[in-house]
Amino acid sequence: MKIELYVDRQAADRAGAAAITALTEAATRATFYREDLTGEQIASNRRIVAISAATCLAAASNDHQRFAATFVGDVFAGYVIATVHAPDSLELDWMMVHPDFHGTSVAGALMEAGIGWLGEDRPLWLNVIRHNERAIRFYRKFGFEIDPVTVTDHVIPHAIMRRAPGAQH
């Protein structure tokens, strides 16, 4: 499988707003939902989809963010947003992979792009939905571990995962 990676404006132009929204809908349906979600939690997931295109397009033009998108042939397969909140706060902020590409090298290519831009020798962090065990296992392959101390205030329970500077993957 040949994966092509595009960044920032080139990624945004190639993907387009409608495709970003559609991919985010498919990705969240596959990974963010489970049967016991409340109405408020479902609304929170829908909000993620609703703001995804605007968030990606804004990141593509922001000096403190990197928007990277992968394509397999002509198919938009996934994206990541890496964000520098402050010199000591570097986040893999959004990571969405279309379920058709789960278990392929698409997510790994996106992780490499985000980590590479933020700096492999820097401490990094990300948010993950606590019930998304597949994502947690995947992030651990890149050196991230759940921070047992930090608490988030998301409607759907999240965990913060941190990666030490220079962690191997």
Side-chain angles (χ1 to χ4, degrees):
M1 169 184 327
K2 183 181 177 205
I3 298 171
E4 294 181 78
L5 184 107
Y6 297 85
V7 297
D8 294 331
R9 288 300 330 151
Q10 189 179 22
D13 292 344
R14 176 100 196 265
I20 291 167
T21 301
L23 187 145
T24 306
E25 173 67 31
T28 57
R29 281 265 164 229
T31 59
F32 283 29
Y33 285 84
R34 62 184 199 186
E35 290 183 22
D36 65 343
L37 294 183
T38 66
E40 183 181 23
Q41 291 170 325
I42 291 168
S44 177
N45 284 343
R46 289 185 180 144
R47 181 177 176 279
I48 296 297
V49 173
I51 68 170
S52 61
T55 301
C56 291
L57 298 177
S61 299
N62 184 328
D63 291 341
H64 299 284
Q65 293 183 299
R66 165 69 47 103
F67 171 60
T70 53
F71 291 81
V72 177
D74 289 334
V75 180
F76 180 33
Y79 67 87
V80 66
I81 298 173
T83 302
V84 176
H85 296 287
D88 61 347
S89 181
L90 309 171
E91 180 185 14
L92 285 173
D93 202 357
W94 287 63
M95 173 80 147
M96 297 286 172
V97 175
H98 193 284
D100 290 350
F101 296 97
H102 286 179
T104 71
S105 53
V106 166
L110 291 167
M111 287 294 288
E112 295 288 344
I115 292 169
W117 186 75
L118 291 169
E120 288 203 26
D121 60 339
R122 308 284 306 277
L124 309 177
W125 64 278
L126 57 82
N127 266 296
V128 63
I129 292 177
R130 282 201 180 271
H131 66 255
N132 192 347
E133 289 296 326
R134 180 185 179 130
I136 292 169
R137 284 190 308 273
F138 173 76
Y139 294 139
R140 282 188 168 131
K141 291 178 185 177
F142 287 84
F144 286 87
E145 291 298 332
I146 291 177
D147 177 339
V149 177
T150 304
V151 177
T152 68
D153 63 353
H154 292 88
V155 173
I156 298 173
H158 281 62
I160 298 292
M161 295 185 78
R162 299 189 185 280
R163 181 178 187 272
Q168 298 300 309
H169 56 278

